[in-house]
Amino acid sequence: MKKAKKQNIIIASIAIIIVSAIVAYNYSYDQTRQKGFKFGNELQQIQEEVKQAQIQFDSKITQWKEGDLSLEELLNYSEIHLNDMQNEILKYDKLNPPDQFAPSVELFKLSTQAQLDSDKEFIEWIKTNDESHSIRSDSLLQESFEYEMLALGEFNSVKAGLK
């Protein structure tokens, strides 16, 4: 009788250990998934805010080109835009990405920085009419696009489990 009791206790202990391990694993997996989901939403929010800032800036430029906005008004808005973009760049540093997503976040940040630098050069071109600023602005815009494509590729590779 004693031997059977000991066996039952051992079997129950093993079962409890196995169930506890499964619960702990599922909890850890769920926490990681929630952290990843939160990170993804925060990154998407930053990207959307950058996109909206650029759309608004491009709209102001179009208004200026069409004569619906004075140069002074455009330059005043430009200061606001540059400040907004700088604030967006700072948001990337506040993200807490899972390790495998860190390179894509850095590329998104570089893309946004290149966009900001392009906008600064564009504004300088408007102020000075020096064509070299327009050329530099276009070059930086291309650089921004390339960083963005690299970031998206990196992000999607990790998301698909390829990295």
Side-chain angles (χ1 to χ4, degrees), residues 1-13:
M1 232 12 193
K2 240 180 173 180
K3 190 175 182 184
K5 211 174 193 180
K6 278 186 178 180
Q7 273 184 328
N8 286 341
I9 291 173
I10 291 172
I11 291 172
S13 297

Side-chain angles (χ1 to χ4, degrees), residues 99-162:
D99 291 341
Q100 64 270 30
F101 285 101
S104 61
V105 170
E106 189 59 32
L107 289 167
F108 279 122
K109 182 180 175 183
L110 289 171
S111 173
T112 305
Q113 182 64 55
Q115 180 67 55
L116 173 62
D117 293 342
S118 172
D119 293 345
K120 287 177 181 178
E121 289 294 327
F122 182 84
I123 293 164
E124 200 57 35
W125 172 64
I126 291 172
K127 288 178 181 178
T128 64
N129 208 23
D130 180 348
E131 196 64 28
S132 67
H133 291 290
S134 176
I135 293 168
R136 181 76 177 131
S137 175
D138 290 345
S139 173
L140 286 163
L141 189 58
Q142 178 64 33
E143 187 178 308
S144 173
F145 176 76
E146 290 170 7
Y147 279 132
E148 182 88 10
M149 291 299 101
L150 286 170
L152 287 170
E154 180 77 18
F155 184 88
N156 288 330
S157 290
V158 172
K159 192 173 173 186
L162 300 176

Side-chain angles (χ1 to χ4, degrees), residues 23-63:
V23 168
Y25 172 80
N26 285 335
Y27 177 77
S28 174
Y29 175 79
D30 191 47
Q31 291 294 86
T32 301
R33 199 175 64 122
Q34 286 179 10
K35 180 182 174 188
F37 185 72
K38 181 178 184 244
F39 156 74
N41 286 340
E42 290 170 346
L43 180 60
Q44 183 179 8
Q45 180 66 35
I46 293 169
Q47 291 301 106
E48 186 60 34
E49 289 170 0
V50 167
K51 178 182 169 186
Q52 288 304 315
Q54 281 309 127
I55 289 171
Q56 290 175 347
F57 185 61
D58 291 343
S59 174
K60 295 295 183 184
I61 292 169
T62 300
Q63 290 174 9

Side-chain angles (χ1 to χ4, degrees), residues 65-78:
K65 287 179 178 177
E66 293 174 350
D68 296 334
L69 196 68
S70 72
L71 178 59
E72 184 180 333
E73 290 171 316
L74 178 60
L75 293 176
N76 286 339
Y77 179 79
S78 296

